[in-house]
Amino acid sequence: MLAYIFKRLLLMIPTLFGALLLTFVVIQFVPGGPVEQFLAEAKTGAGGSTESGGMSYRGAQGVDPKRIEQIKALYGFDKPAPERFVQMLGQFARFDLGKSFFQNKAVSELVWEKLPVSISLGLWTFFISYLVAVPLGVAKAVRAGSRFDLVTTLLILLGYAIPGFVLGVALLVIFGGQLQWFPLRGLSSPNWDDLSWASKVVDYLWHIAMPITAMVLGSFAVTAMLTKNAFLEEIRKQYVVTARAKGLSDRQVLWKHVFRNALIPIITGFPAAFIGAFFTGSLLIETLFSLDGLGLLSYESVIRRDYPVVLGTLYLFTLIGLVTKLVSDLSYVWVDPRVKFD
């Protein structure tokens, strides 16, 4: 087991290196970098272009070349790309994610600021999906082929087929615009500070209802069908027939034998789903409901060419994803002793 863990930890290094190298190389060929944007804002409306370092900066006409070099030095583009890449790797090895070009804050500080919104969306989605979908999947497996199974399967697949952002738009138009039952944006009301503790809880749930509804359908459908299929597979195994032959009731067979074995693939998915709840931001949902989370941060950093945020969050999320994948694989052994990585 220790050898397997050590091997997996070593494999994380080339995986991280490859992801960072590929993204860094792509960034070098993307037009409209931070230096170009700075010059365009400083010299809006001016024509012409200035060739500098192999890059064309529009709106640079009339700007002192020394000033351009100072701006490039400010953003670190006065150094060759390989040198900048090695320097970045050194920072990441010390878990220094760098500093944003445009927000004058450390990348780690920005992630920490946006994390509560993503936690709110992710955790509610996680708990609702499992608390509702698992019992529903069990009920569907027990009643496989019945009218209840067919109707719920149709509803689940219909909900799964509707993209989250499309449902979000419909919810905004109907319940936020026409009926005005729910707020259109944010996670709190303007008078949040003046509300009592109980009123704050109600206000928060009032604001989070539509975004969570729009996000939960996809994961809800997957979890419900996975639970149903896992239970059906276990119900058909020989040990279930043996247990029934010994005189055990269907309830005893289901909850004492089938339930424990059928939940193995679901439980082993807990680590990835739970950690993903903290760091998985939904860009479209956050944009629709004006929620300032990690998804919106990633999108804005790409649009503004805020490369430290792009690469810093990529490194952080990739590392967390690799560790979580390792924990998920190890959970198979902890849940089912029959699994041996040797």
Side-chain angles (χ1 to χ4, degrees), residues 78-79 86 89 100 113 115 119 133 170 187 205 228 247 276 293 316:
D78 58 327
K79 301 176 182 178
V86 172
L89 292 180
S100 171
E113 289 178 356
L115 194 57
I119 288 178
L187 289 180
L205 295 177
K228 174 191 173 182
L316 178 63

Side-chain angles (χ1 to χ4, degrees), residues 1 44 69 110 148 184 188 223 276 329:
M1 176 64 71
T44 55
E69 295 300 323
L110 287 174
F148 170 81
L184 296 174
S188 60
T223 306
D329 292 343

Side-chain angles (χ1 to χ4, degrees), residues 75-151:
Y75 291 123
F77 289 101
D78 58 327
K79 301 176 182 178
E83 182 179 347
R84 286 188 279 117
F85 181 70
V86 172
Q87 181 180 358
M88 181 191 70
L89 292 180
Q91 291 179 344
F92 288 170
R94 303 189 302 270
F95 292 97
D96 178 9
L97 303 182
K99 189 174 182 180
S100 171
F101 285 157
F102 301 103
Q103 303 191 47
N104 197 28
K105 292 182 179 180
V107 175
S108 56
E109 183 180 352
L110 287 174
V111 172
W112 187 256
E113 289 178 356
K114 311 298 183 182
L115 194 57
V117 174
S118 296
I119 288 178
S120 296
L121 295 175
L123 286 183
W124 279 110
T125 303
F126 172 80
F127 284 118
I128 292 177
S129 298
Y130 276 91
L131 292 178
V132 178
V134 171
L136 178 61
V138 175
K140 288 174 61 62
V142 174
R143 300 173 177 84
S146 66
R147 180 178 299 178
F148 170 81
D149 182 32
L150 295 177
V151 172

Side-chain angles (χ1 to χ4, degrees), residues 168-184 210:
V169 172
L171 293 174
L172 281 174
V173 172
I174 298 174
F175 296 100
Q178 296 179 356
L179 300 177
Q180 297 184 356
W181 289 356
F182 295 95
L184 296 174
M210 289 201 299

Side-chain angles (χ1 to χ4, degrees), residues 195-334:
L195 298 176
S196 63
W197 182 84
S199 299
K200 287 183 177 180
V201 173
V202 174
D203 183 75
Y204 167 75
L205 295 177
W206 184 46
H207 281 77
I208 203 70
M210 289 201 299
I212 293 303
T213 302
M215 289 187 63
V216 77
L217 287 184
S219 57
F220 174 84
V222 172
T223 306
M225 297 307 295
L226 175 63
T227 304
K228 174 191 173 182
N229 294 333
F231 269 80
L232 285 177
E233 182 180 357
E234 292 296 325
I235 289 174
R236 295 164 181 165
K237 290 186 176 179
Q238 185 63 38
Y239 75 88
V240 175
V241 178
T242 304
R244 286 173 176 169
K246 290 182 178 181
L248 295 179
S249 65
D250 289 341
R251 181 180 295 272
Q252 289 176 320
V253 173
L254 179 65
W255 297 109
K256 289 186 177 181
H257 298 278
V258 176
F259 187 79
R260 181 177 59 183
N261 294 325
L263 283 185
I264 289 177
I266 301 173
I267 293 176
T268 52
F270 275 4
F274 188 75
I275 296 299
F278 288 86
F279 295 98
T280 302
S282 177
L283 167 62
L284 295 175
I285 298 300
E286 291 180 7
T287 303
L288 278 176
F289 294 95
S290 301
L291 305 176
D292 192 11
L294 292 176
L296 193 59
L297 172 66
S298 302
Y299 172 74
E300 290 179 346
S301 62
V302 172
I303 295 299
R304 300 186 65 183
R305 306 295 191 268
D306 199 346
Y307 297 147
V309 179
V310 174
L311 292 168
T313 53
L314 173 69
Y315 167 74
L316 178 63
F317 299 158
T318 304
L319 179 61
I320 293 175
L322 291 173
V323 173
T324 303
K325 181 61 177 176
L326 174 59
V327 174
S328 298
D329 292 343
L330 294 178
S331 64
Y332 278 97
V333 178
W334 300 331

